[in-house]
Amino acid sequence: MHRFAVLAKQTAASSGCKGPGSCRNGRRDVALRCIASLAAEKQHRQRFTQLTRSGREGLVRWNSAAKASAVKISEKTSREKILTLESMNPQVKAVEYAVRGPIVLKAGEIEKELRKGIKKPFTEVIKANIGDAHAMGQQPITFLRQVVALCTYPNLLDSPSFPEDSKKRARRILQGCGRKSLGSYSASQGVNCIREDVAAYIERRDGGVPADPDNIYLTTGASDGIFTILKILVSGGGKSRTGVMIPIPQYPLYSAAISELDAIQVNYYLDEENCWALDVNELRRSLNEAKAYCNPKVLCIINPGNPTGQVQSRKCIEDVIHFAWEEQLFLLADEVYQDNVYSEECQFHSFKKVLYEMGPEYYNNVELASFHSTSKGYMGECGYRGGYMEVINLHPEIKGQLVKLLSVRLCPPVSGQAAMDIVVNPPVPGEESYKQFIKEKESVLNNLAQKAKLTEDMFNKVPGIHCNPLQGAMYAFPRIFIPSKAIEAAKAHKMAPDLFYCMKLLEETGICVVPGSGFGQREGSYHFRMTILPPVEKLKIVLEKVKDFHIQFLEEYA
C-alpha cells in the first residue's frame, strides 16, 4: 500500500499540485489531474485491502484442508510396520553376544545416572567385561602409532620428529596403496606388500616353516576372517546341515556366527579340573553324538583360550590335528592371544608349525585357517580393526570362491592393514626405534603377567571362588559358588543364576563383568569372565570389591 501512495504523491507533485484546494494557477486541467491522482491512490488502497482479505481467507481454507489431509495421512501411517520381531530374519534374532549383552546395557544406564548426580555406593562404573586395552589405560606402542600417522598424513615424512625406520615402513606401505594414499581401496585380499610381510612373520615365528603370501588374507580384525570362513563352510539342510564344533566355554563370536548362518553348534567341553585342557576323548564323544543330527565338519580351537586363559600343550595340538585328519574336519585356529603367554611352564605353538612338523601326510591334507589380530597381544589396538588369516590346503576352486566373497566387502580398512603390518614387521636390532619398541612391548607383557598372577592369587583366597592358573590371554574365568536361595531368587527375576550374581555385583559395586552363561559352562557350574587389563592399583581395588561382595552375597543367601 505504501508503494501506491508514493506513486500518487509523485504524480501530484509533478503537476505542482499540493491538494484539490491548492491549485493557485487556477488551471482546470491541472486540478483535474490532481483529483484523478488522489482517486487512483484510493482505488489502489481498496484493491490492496481486498487482496489481503482474500489471501487470509485462502490461507485459512488451505490450513483447514492441510489439517484434514494430515489426519488422513496419520490414519494411513498407523498401519503395522513391515519389519517386526515376527517378520525379521530369525537367524539374526537368535544371535546373542554376552560380552556386550544386558549387563553392559545396565552398566550404561548406571553411568548416565551417575552423571546426573544420582547417588550410588560407588563413584564410577569399571567395565571389566571386555578386552579393550587402551580403554583400560594401556598406552599405545609408539612405533606403531608413528607409522600409521605417517601413512595417514604423508606430509609428516619430511618431519625430523619421526625416526627413519618408521618413515621407511610408511613409504613401503604407501607404495602399495593406490596413488600412495591410505584413503584408496586396496585389493580385496589386502595390500600386497603387507601380505608379504605377514608371510615373512609367520616363517620367522614358526622357525622357517614356509608361508605363501597368496594364502594370506587381511581382515577387519580376526572376527571378520572367522565369520567369512564359517560362511563359506556352512551348507546342507536337516541332518546334513554343517555342524561346527566349538569349545565350552567359548568366545561368543562363535555361537553368534553359527546362529546367524543357521549352522549347528556342536559343543565340546574343556576340562576345568585339569586347567581347562582339551581332551581328544571329549572331542570324539561330541562328534559321535552330533552325527545323529548334523554333519560335523568344522573344529574350532582357541589357543591361548578365551575366556579360560589356558595355553594348550604341543602334545594336545598334535592330538587335535590327528583327530581332524582322521575325521576329515576343517580346522579353525583362533590364535589372537599368541603373544599373551605368562606362565613359565607354557609356550605358544602355532597349529601351522605343528601341522608341518607332523609330516607331509598331515601338512598336505589338513585344511587349516589360522587367525591373528592387532587387538590383543601387547598392541591392544582394538579400534583399528586389523587382522589376518592364513588359509592352507584349500581346493583351488574354493580359493576362487573365497576371494569372490571377500571382494563383496571391497577391502578391510587400510589403516588397520597398516597397523597389522607393524605387528608383523616391527623394528629389528640395529634400527633406531628398536630399544624403545622392545622396552614398551616387554613392559606391557610383564605387567599383564603380574596382573594375571595377582588375580589368580586373590580370587583363590576368597571362600566360594576358585580360579585356575591364568596361563595366557587377558581374562580370569573363576568358578563361583551360588547358594540355593540365590538360585531361587534368580528364578524369581527370570535370570540365570550367574547373571543375577553379576547384576547385583554391578549394582552394588559398579564393577561390570560377564556371566559365565554367556560363554557356556557345564550344567550346575557358575562362572564370570573378568579382564585383567585395569592398571595394577585399580585391579587390586576391583578384586577387593569382588571379594567383599562375594562374602556378603554368601551371607545374604546362606
Side-chain angles (χ1 to χ4, degrees):
M1 184 170 69
H2 174 72
R3 178 184 169 205
F4 298 137
V6 169
L7 284 171
K9 287 176 182 177
Q10 285 176 344
T11 304
S14 66
S15 313
C17 175
K18 297 181 180 178
S22 62
C23 296
R24 292 175 182 170
N25 57 13
R27 285 184 301 174
R28 188 169 176 271
D29 58 337
V30 174
L32 286 173
R33 281 199 302 272
C34 181
I35 292 168
S37 175
L38 292 173
E41 179 185 347
K42 183 178 179 182
Q43 215 172 19
H44 284 309
R45 285 178 182 171
Q46 289 173 342
R47 177 61 179 157
F48 182 81
T49 302
Q50 288 172 352
L51 287 171
T52 304
R53 187 181 296 118
S54 174
R56 285 173 183 161
E57 289 170 355
L59 184 62
V60 169
R61 287 195 300 273
W62 185 89
N63 281 339
S64 299
K67 286 176 183 176
S69 176
V71 170
K72 289 179 181 178
I73 292 170
S74 177
E75 288 173 354
K76 288 180 181 178
T77 55
S78 65
R79 65 172 174 76
E80 290 185 3
K81 298 290 185 186
I82 294 169
L83 184 60
T84 65
L85 283 174
E86 288 70 34
S87 67
M88 72 174 286
N89 184 337
Q91 273 64 60
V92 174
K93 190 161 56 173
V95 169
E96 293 183 4
Y97 190 64
V99 174
R100 294 176 183 254
I103 198 87
V104 182
L105 296 177
K106 182 64 176 178
E109 291 173 11
I110 292 174
E111 283 183 314
K112 289 178 183 177
E113 291 174 352
L114 286 171
R115 286 195 291 269
K116 290 177 181 177
I118 297 173
K119 296 296 180 184
K120 301 283 181 183
F122 47 86
T123 57
E124 66 170 332
V125 171
I126 300 175
K127 291 183 177 177
N129 62 297
I130 196 166
D132 191 349
H134 293 178
M136 286 290 182
Q138 180 179 308
Q139 292 303 301
I141 298 297
T142 301
F143 187 77
L144 188 150
R145 287 296 183 90
Q146 285 176 333
V147 176
V148 174
L150 289 165
C151 289
T152 304
Y153 191 60
N155 288 359
L156 293 173
L157 287 165
D158 296 325
S159 170
S161 301
F162 290 80
E164 283 305 314
D165 48 0
S166 67
K167 293 178 180 179
K168 177 182 175 182
R169 281 163 178 75
R171 290 189 183 100
R172 171 176 164 78
I173 294 167
L174 288 171
Q175 193 68 37
C177 298
R179 288 285 182 173
K180 299 182 180 180
S181 172
L182 221 60
S184 304
Y185 287 128
S186 75
S188 298
Q189 208 168 329
V191 175
N192 287 336
C193 68
I194 299 177
R195 289 163 51 219
E196 290 170 2
D197 289 344
V198 170
Y201 160 80
I202 291 170
E203 287 191 11
R204 291 195 307 273
R205 181 197 67 186
D206 293 344
V209 175
D212 184 350
D214 199 40
N215 292 333
I216 306 297
Y217 304 81
L218 300 179
T219 57
T220 308
S223 302
D224 171 50
I226 292 165
F227 189 87
T228 300
I229 288 294
L230 284 175
K231 184 182 288 187
I232 210 166
L233 277 162
V234 173
S235 64
K239 289 186 177 181
S240 67
R241 193 67 174 155
T242 297
V244 182
M245 300 179 68
I246 63 172
I248 298 296
Q250 54 106 18
Y251 178 51
L253 159 70
Y254 291 94
S255 55
I258 290 166
S259 291
E260 186 174 341
L261 296 170
D262 197 23
I264 305 297
Q265 179 174 320
V266 178
N267 296 340
Y268 67 88
Y269 290 90
L270 301 175
D271 185 0
E272 183 171 9
E273 305 306 318
N274 191 21
C275 200
W276 301 111
L278 196 164
D279 183 357
V280 172
N281 291 325
E282 168 61 13
L283 288 179
R284 188 162 283 110
R285 177 209 62 79
S286 172
L287 179 77
N288 290 336
E289 288 183 6
K291 286 178 178 177
Y293 56 86
C294 70
N295 175 26
K297 65 179 182 183
V298 187
L299 173 57
C300 302
I301 312 289
I302 308 174
N303 182 50
N306 175 13
T308 45
Q310 88 287 353
V311 179
Q312 302 294 1
S313 68
R314 180 190 174 87
K315 174 67 167 62
C316 173
I317 295 172
E318 287 178 353
D319 290 344
V320 169
I321 290 172
H322 177 75
F323 178 78
W325 173 81
E326 185 179 47
E327 298 292 345
Q328 296 187 351
L329 297 171
F330 194 113
L331 268 176
L332 302 188
D334 182 340
E335 298 174 334
V336 301
Y337 295 100
Q338 59 189 258
D339 289 303
N340 301 106
V341 177
Y342 313 124
S343 172
E344 293 180 1
E345 300 171 359
C346 297
Q347 181 183 350
F348 170 75
H349 300 279
S350 77
F351 269 76
K352 165 81 176 297
K353 179 182 180 183
V354 176
L355 177 64
Y356 186 85
E357 292 174 347
M358 286 176 71
E361 187 176 12
Y362 293 94
Y363 182 68
N364 293 327
N365 291 292
V366 175
E367 293 151 283
L368 169 70
S370 53
F371 308 90
H372 197 16
S373 168
T374 63
S375 301
K376 309 304 175 185
Y378 57 90
M379 306 80 66
E381 294 284 8
C382 303
Y384 276 117
R385 307 308 300 132
Y388 75 75
M389 60 181 176
E390 181 185 23
V391 190
I392 61 172
N393 289 326
L394 271 188
H395 188 288
E397 292 176 356
I398 292 298
K399 194 168 186 176
Q401 293 296 317
L402 175 58
V403 172
K404 178 187 73 175
L405 186 61
L406 292 172
S407 70
V408 173
R409 54 92 156 117
L410 298 177
C411 70
V414 183
S415 55
Q417 295 184 49
M420 190 75 247
D421 187 74
I422 306 313
V423 175
V424 300
N425 186 24
V428 297
E431 288 190 307
E432 185 178 349
S433 301
Y434 178 72
K435 287 183 179 178
Q436 182 182 7
F437 171 79
I438 289 297
K439 181 181 178 182
E440 292 176 352
K441 175 182 176 179
E442 290 181 350
S443 173
V444 171
L445 293 176
N446 290 339
N447 188 255
L448 284 169
Q450 177 190 353
K451 291 187 286 191
K453 183 63 175 165
L454 172 69
T455 303
E456 176 195 334
D457 289 346
M458 289 193 70
F459 274 147
N460 285 329
K461 291 176 182 176
V462 184
I465 296 183
H466 173 71
C467 185
N468 272 321
L470 307 184
Q471 298 173 334
M474 49 184 62
Y475 312 98
F477 195 67
R479 184 169 182 169
I480 52 176
F481 172 70
I482 298 182
S484 56
K485 280 183 67 176
I487 294 172
E488 291 301 317
K491 286 179 182 176
H493 286 83
K494 297 181 179 179
M495 291 183 184
D498 49 8
L499 174 58
F500 177 74
Y501 177 97
C502 293
M503 198 66 81
K504 285 186 73 68
L505 174 67
L506 172 63
E507 291 170 344
E508 295 179 22
T509 68
I511 297 168
C512 178
V513 298
V514 189
S517 50
F519 300 89
Q521 55 200 352
R522 284 193 182 274
E523 189 72 26
S525 70
Y526 306 107
H527 304 77
F528 64 79
R529 190 190 80 162
M530 186 190 85
T531 181
I532 61 171
L533 287 171
V536 172
E537 292 309 312
K538 180 167 278 192
L539 181 61
K540 288 179 180 177
I541 294 169
V542 169
L543 294 169
E544 284 290 340
K545 284 188 173 186
V546 172
K547 180 192 78 172
D548 294 343
F549 167 81
H550 188 78
I551 292 170
Q552 182 183 338
F553 184 85
L554 293 182
E555 290 174 355
E556 183 179 351
Y557 292 100

